[in-house]
Amino acid sequence: MAPALYLGEFEQLILLAILRLGDEAYGVTIRAELADRAGRSITPGAMYTALDRLDAKGLIRSRMGDPTPERGGRAKRYVTVTAAGKKALTSAMQAYERLLDGLDVVRLRGARA
Amino acid sequence: MPDTYRAQRLLALFTSAESAEGIAGDLAESHDGRSSFAFWRRVLTMMVALSGHTIASAPLTSLGLLAAGCWLAGLTALDAFGSSAFVSVHFGLMRTWTMVSLIYSLMYWSGAFFTGAALAGLGQARGMAASVGVAILNEALLMAFGPMLRPSTNTIVWGTATASIFVYSVAALAPFFLILGAAIVRVRPIARDHAIESQE
């Protein structure tokens, strides 16, 4: 049986951002999506190393787009979430749901600073 | 527009060619008309981040490469010192200094070059990161213990101070050759990848 893949919080955010962006997910858009939706300003170094980790785990796959003049003739590296990535993300979301079960979520939100 | 080609070549020393191209393009796209210095600062920061990630993803292997690099670099440095001492015993004063300086410099720098090339050949991107680590360690040790360096040659012709400065300078430049050796080995596989991609 293959060992379960556990995702860190940051990796989960990146996978969710990639899923939201669909076919337009690449470095610049992922950072913008995380800043816009999650209020997280992340450094390029942290993001690209996280993408490399996810790629090494087989949770995302990449493909090269066409080079554009705006990018100095460099192609975009688009990323998509693989089936294994979706499974790992679902597993993480289910863990959250199980832990939240029975907790007073309204009270939790009210306690937020 | 920033020089994305050179940025990609530098980034590709520490990661795959595909990843390097994507990162270089992203940095250019988000450059937003800022200065060239700002762009290159971000490229340098990315190189450091990629090195750290490469090392952290396999710490034992990286430690092994670092240890191997230190051992190899130290061995070639001792060899350079020993050879220059050997030559100085057998020749006259004026010729001694010229020959000894040449032998010492060439041996030290070629040893450093070979060390970098060997590390990058063994470990690819991880080897490149290890080379940078050995280079930094070399400079740190030199700063800490450099004043103790004394040339083992006849110093009557140039004086002790000049000889010490010369020895110190040669040692201080060695990390440049170390990183150059590693970079040259890393560059070749990257160029081939691009050639294959363009033929597909």
Side-chain angles (χ1 to χ4, degrees), chain A residues 26-28 31 44-50 52-53 55 62-64 67 69-77, chain B residues 1-2 4-5 8 15-19 21-30 42 45-46 49-50 53 194:
Chain A
Y26 67 99
V28 173
R31 277 187 75 210
M47 192 190 66
Y48 291 113
T49 53
D52 275 351
R53 270 200 309 277
D55 198 4
S62 61
R63 62 180 172 85
M64 299 305 287
E70 296 77 27
R71 294 169 59 84
R74 305 299 120 195
K76 290 176 186 173
R77 186 182 169 217
Chain B
M1 178 56 64
T4 53
Y5 176 71
Q8 180 186 344
T15 186
S16 67
E18 195 181 84
S19 186
E21 183 170 2
I23 295 171
D26 289 348
L27 291 178
E29 188 177 325
S30 56
R42 294 173 84 198
T45 309
M46 268 312 306
L50 289 169
H53 167 65
H194 275 284

Side-chain angles (χ1 to χ4, degrees), chain B:
Chain B
M1 178 56 64
D3 187 349
T4 53
Y5 176 71
R6 284 206 171 83
Q8 180 186 344
R9 298 284 283 200
L10 282 172
L11 291 166
L13 295 174
F14 299 96
T15 186
S16 67
E18 195 181 84
S19 186
E21 183 170 2
I23 295 171
D26 289 348
L27 291 178
E29 188 177 325
S30 56
H31 182 60
D32 227 6
R34 282 175 280 184
S35 68
S36 181
F37 174 77
F39 175 75
W40 287 107
R41 188 170 53 88
R42 294 173 84 198
V43 171
L44 190 64
T45 309
M46 268 312 306
M47 286 164 67
V48 171
L50 289 169
S51 293
H53 167 65
T54 305
I55 288 170
S57 62
L60 286 178
T61 307
S62 302
L63 198 62
L65 284 168
L66 195 67
C70 289
W71 176 78
L72 206 55
L75 204 65
T76 53
L78 281 172
D79 196 25
F81 272 109
S83 301
S84 61
F86 175 79
V87 169
S88 71
V89 172
H90 294 88
F91 292 93
L93 289 178
M94 285 306 292
R95 267 193 302 177
T96 295
W97 249 110
T98 310
M99 283 192 68
V100 165
S101 304
L102 202 60
I103 288 169
Y104 172 70
S105 308
L106 286 176
M107 287 195 72
Y108 205 130
W109 290 340
S110 59
F113 184 91
F114 170 73
T115 300
L119 285 176
L122 278 171
Q124 296 298 316
R126 202 161 285 123
M128 183 74 213
S131 297
V132 173
V134 173
I136 291 170
L137 207 59
N138 183 104
E139 293 292 359
L141 288 171
L142 203 59
M143 277 187 234
F145 301 107
M148 295 181 209
L149 281 175
R150 291 286 181 269
S152 55
T153 61
N154 190 325
T155 58
I156 292 173
V157 176
W158 280 15
T160 306
T162 309
S164 294
I165 290 168
F166 170 74
V167 167
Y168 193 93
S169 302
V170 169
L173 283 173
F176 166 76
F177 289 93
L178 194 149
I179 292 173
L180 183 67
I184 285 172
V185 168
R186 278 292 291 159
V187 161
R188 276 190 285 116
I190 291 158
R192 273 208 301 274
D193 289 344
H194 275 284
I196 289 166
E197 280 166 16
S198 64
Q199 283 167 15
E200 284 174 349

Side-chain angles (χ1 to χ4, degrees), chain A residues 8-88:
Chain A
E9 182 247 3
F10 186 51
E11 290 173 333
Q12 290 173 36
L13 289 177
I14 288 186
L15 287 177
L16 286 167
I18 295 170
L19 283 170
R20 289 190 67 86
L21 289 164
D23 291 338
E24 289 303 312
Y26 67 99
V28 173
T29 55
I30 295 170
R31 277 187 75 210
E33 185 72 6
L34 286 171
D36 187 38
R37 288 273 175 180
R40 294 275 291 261
S41 175
I42 57 169
T43 61
M47 192 190 66
Y48 291 113
T49 53
L51 286 174
D52 275 351
R53 270 200 309 277
L54 290 168
D55 198 4
K57 289 180 186 177
L59 302 180
I60 60 172
R61 73 166 70 87
S62 61
R63 62 180 172 85
M64 299 305 287
D66 294 324
T68 60
E70 296 77 27
R71 294 169 59 84
R74 305 299 120 195
K76 290 176 186 173
R77 186 182 169 217
Y78 293 103
V79 290
T80 48
V81 182
T82 61
K86 288 175 186 170
K87 189 177 173 187

